[in-house]
Amino acid sequence: MLNAVKNYDDVDSWKTVMFLYNSALKKVGTKLEILNDEFQHVHKYNPIEHIKTRVKTAESIVKKLKRYGYETSIENMVKYVNDIAGVRVICSFTSDIYRLAEMIGNQNDLKVLAIKDYIKNPKESGYKSYHMLASVPIFLSDGVVDTKVEIQIRTIAMDFWASLEHKIYYKFEGNAPDYISRDLRECAEMVSTLDEKMLSLNEAIHACLEKEGL
């Protein structure tokens, strides 16, 4: 959370911090819905299939701070844990991801702090997604607090794989056998192939319709 008018000393309670993160999620969620509606109005097409939001639990935040080597405090969680407020945007095609990311980046009252493109550079596990760390101003009665939100954009297929991978590794507490990790990577390659074929099919359909003047 980067502070515009108020500072860390003003954000001194857990309830206040959670209020800010929940408010940031509402603001980003509304932005995404408006962008999707505008796209439908102009192009007769919805790039967003659905949107999921969540705020990390206190237990998850504490675990992450300990893993990073920081003491548990409100200031440290605000400063070092970037994904407390998370928005997951599910798109139909890979091309929608980059189109939507550009649209988000063009919002005047949203600042993109960092980008991690795990689609062009997948994780070793096979994980693919496009991550944006952004800050949005939350206007309070006595000031403004810029609040961080992590936005993950992925296709339906990527989300399917990531959800199952998370469940599998959770069961093994992060220490899954090598053969399971190998099979998951193979499944990730299948998902990538599926995304590529579906995108090609969609482009072929549009080309056919344009040729017929529809």
Side-chain angles (χ1 to χ4, degrees):
M1 191 178 303
L2 304 171
N3 298 279
V5 176
K6 297 169 74 68
N7 56 43
Y8 289 123
D9 295 333
D10 296 321
V11 185
D12 58 357
S13 74
W14 173 260
K15 285 185 178 180
T16 302
V17 170
M18 289 299 102
F19 163 77
L20 290 169
Y21 283 118
N22 277 295
S23 299
L25 284 182
K26 288 179 182 177
K27 188 167 187 176
V28 172
T30 300
K31 280 179 171 295
L32 290 168
E33 288 174 5
I34 291 172
L35 286 173
N36 200 41
D37 290 345
E38 180 199 8
F39 210 86
Q40 171 66 33
H41 174 69
V42 176
H43 302 287
K44 305 296 185 287
Y45 170 69
N46 295 92
I48 298 175
E49 289 288 335
H50 56 272
I51 300 169
K52 303 175 185 176
T53 62
R54 67 103 184 95
V55 175
K56 268 188 179 297
T57 63
E59 183 183 7
S60 295
I61 294 170
V62 170
K63 281 183 179 179
K64 200 155 196 176
L65 282 173
K66 287 182 178 178
R67 193 162 70 244
Y68 289 166
Y70 296 112
E71 292 182 2
T72 302
S73 69
I74 288 176
E75 182 172 351
N76 281 343
M77 65 174 265
V78 162
K79 192 173 182 181
Y80 298 114
V81 183
N82 291 328
D83 61 344
I84 293 175
V87 179
R88 186 171 299 155
V89 187
I90 312 302
C91 299
S92 301
F93 306 103
T94 310
S95 56
D96 293 332
I97 294 173
Y98 293 101
R99 186 180 299 168
L100 188 59
E102 183 180 4
M103 292 164 67
I104 292 170
N106 288 335
Q107 297 286 297
N108 288 333
D109 60 342
L110 179 149
K111 183 178 180 182
V112 178
L113 304 175
I115 290 173
K116 291 182 180 178
D117 190 344
Y118 294 117
I119 298 173
K120 292 180 179 176
N121 302 289
K123 290 186 179 182
E124 188 177 347
S125 64
Y127 174 86
K128 282 189 170 186
S129 187
Y130 190 92
H131 292 195
M132 302 176 76
L133 178 62
S135 69
V136 291
I138 302 302
F139 292 85
L140 306 175
S141 59
D142 58 347
V144 183
V145 182
D146 285 340
T147 306
K148 290 185 292 189
V149 178
E150 184 188 65
I151 305 170
Q152 298 179 357
I153 315 174
R154 56 179 70 155
T155 63
I156 301 168
M158 291 176 193
D159 189 55
F160 168 72
W161 182 93
S163 296
L164 293 183
E165 188 239 15
H166 177 76
K167 289 178 181 178
I168 289 169
Y169 276 104
Y170 182 81
K171 289 178 181 178
F172 287 102
E173 297 183 348
N175 297 307
D178 289 341
Y179 74 91
I180 289 181
S181 297
R182 184 180 63 248
D183 286 349
L184 277 170
R185 284 193 295 271
E186 289 179 4
C187 288
E189 292 172 6
M190 294 177 191
V191 164
S192 296
T193 301
L194 177 61
D195 267 336
E196 289 169 7
K197 287 188 176 181
M198 293 303 289
L199 178 59
S200 296
L201 178 60
N202 185 57
E203 290 172 346
I205 290 170
H206 281 290
C208 184
L209 292 174
E210 285 180 10
K211 187 177 180 180
E212 295 178 4
L214 298 175

